[in-house]
Amino acid sequence: GAGVSQSPRYKVAKRGQDVALRCDPISGHVSLFWYQQALGQGPEFLTYFQNEAQLDKSGLPSDRFFAERPEGSVSTLKIQRTQQEDSAVYLCASSFNRADTIYFGEGSWLTVV
Amino acid sequence: QQQVKQSPQSLIVQKGGISIINCAYENTAFDYFPWYQQFPGKGPALLIAIRPDVSEKKEGRFTISFNKSAKQFSLHIMDSQPGDSATYFCAPTSGSRLTFGEGTQLTVNP
């Protein structure tokens, strides 16, 4: 596709439910990032992949958050036992290489009730 | 996000006016200084960026001014248009990790 594609766009989860958010980066992009954006705030870094290798996961807020990119293209962010404080927009971004322009998707809006 | 402070939080200007948004940072490891524009319901999009070896960069109506010693950089939007109404984020970068400011909501009145 022409841009970074994320699904689902909107997700309502009951507290305690597990969720999975998918990201399709721009074709050929080596670097992939996940950011979390709370309402009215700037995005915060969660994790970074170069191909299938997760090189930085220092931003993941707890061990309930897990990300993978097994074949170096599509990535999934999984949140286990969701809590209300997990409600946010989860943004995926990709770039051709580490030093190139980073392109963001439109985000997956998660609401935990 | 405390290491990046953006001001003002919100800004209202008239069409044709100049919009100025400032960003102060603490981390001297930052080596790339972009501004992102975000419309409601969309992801951030790169607007303009500067490397620390230059003090100013201009692209059309958008200019970045960079002051390395003061650890500050700013975005100037000349001839502001209603279509510029959006939230703007500075996002100084170390390696490929962006550290976003809290955002400035710009409204340009017609």
Side-chain angles (χ1 to χ4, degrees):
Chain A
V4 178
S5 178
Q6 294 188 244
S7 62
R9 286 295 320 276
Y10 305 94
K11 174 70 178 178
V12 179
K14 292 184 177 179
R15 191 159 56 100
Q17 188 177 0
D18 296 349
V19 300
L21 307 176
R22 176 188 168 105
C23 173
D24 282 86
I26 295 172
S27 179
H29 279 196
V30 168
S31 297
L32 185 144
F33 310 84
W34 284 98
Y35 283 78
Q36 179 191 56
Q37 186 173 22
L39 189 65
Q41 301 294 316
E44 291 195 15
F45 172 84
L46 294 177
T47 188
Y48 162 63
F49 290 87
Q50 185 167 313
N51 293 307
E52 69 279 2
Q54 189 174 20
L55 299 186
D56 188 348
K57 55 181 181 180
S58 62
L60 296 176
S62 77
D63 58 7
R64 297 186 295 105
F65 287 71
F66 173 76
E68 60 183 6
R69 193 186 186 197
E71 297 180 358
S73 55
V74 171
S75 177
T76 304
L77 177 66
K78 298 180 179 178
I79 308 172
Q80 297 177 324
R81 305 182 303 281
T82 52
Q83 304 294 314
Q84 279 196 313
E85 62 263 28
D86 300 335
S87 296
V89 178
Y90 290 86
L91 294 163
C92 179
S94 70
S95 64
F96 181 70
N97 58 39
R98 191 182 172 112
D100 207 352
T101 300
I102 295 171
Y103 297 90
F104 282 83
E106 294 191 333
S108 289
W109 295 60
L110 173 65
T111 302
V112 181
V113 297
Chain B
Q1 286 186 343
Q2 296 230 347
Q3 60 181 308
V4 178
K5 293 186 179 179
Q6 192 175 329
S7 62
Q9 271 191 315
S10 62
L11 181 61
I12 300 174
V13 301
Q14 292 299 120
K15 179 181 175 182
I18 302 173
S19 304
I20 302 174
I21 305 171
N22 301 297
C23 186
Y25 62 93
E26 297 175 2
N27 188 350
T28 55
F30 291 141
D31 56 6
Y32 181 64
F33 300 89
W35 285 94
Y36 279 79
Q37 180 188 55
Q38 186 175 32
F39 292 104
K42 303 293 185 182
L46 179 66
L47 186 63
I48 187 171
I50 198 168
R51 298 271 177 202
D53 52 343
V54 296
S55 60
E56 187 173 284
K57 181 177 180 180
K58 183 176 180 180
E59 291 183 354
R61 296 185 295 111
F62 304 95
T63 300
I64 292 183
S65 296
F66 179 71
N67 186 331
K68 187 174 182 178
S69 61
K71 293 188 284 186
Q72 294 180 350
F73 62 112
S74 61
L75 173 68
H76 295 232
I77 305 175
M78 310 298 289
D79 187 26
S80 299
Q81 300 296 312
D84 297 331
S85 297
T87 301
Y88 292 80
F89 294 96
C90 63
T93 303
S94 176
S96 51
R97 179 169 174 165
L98 303 170
T99 302
F100 284 84
E102 294 196 343
T104 296
Q105 190 165 356
L106 172 65
T107 302
V108 182
N109 289 326

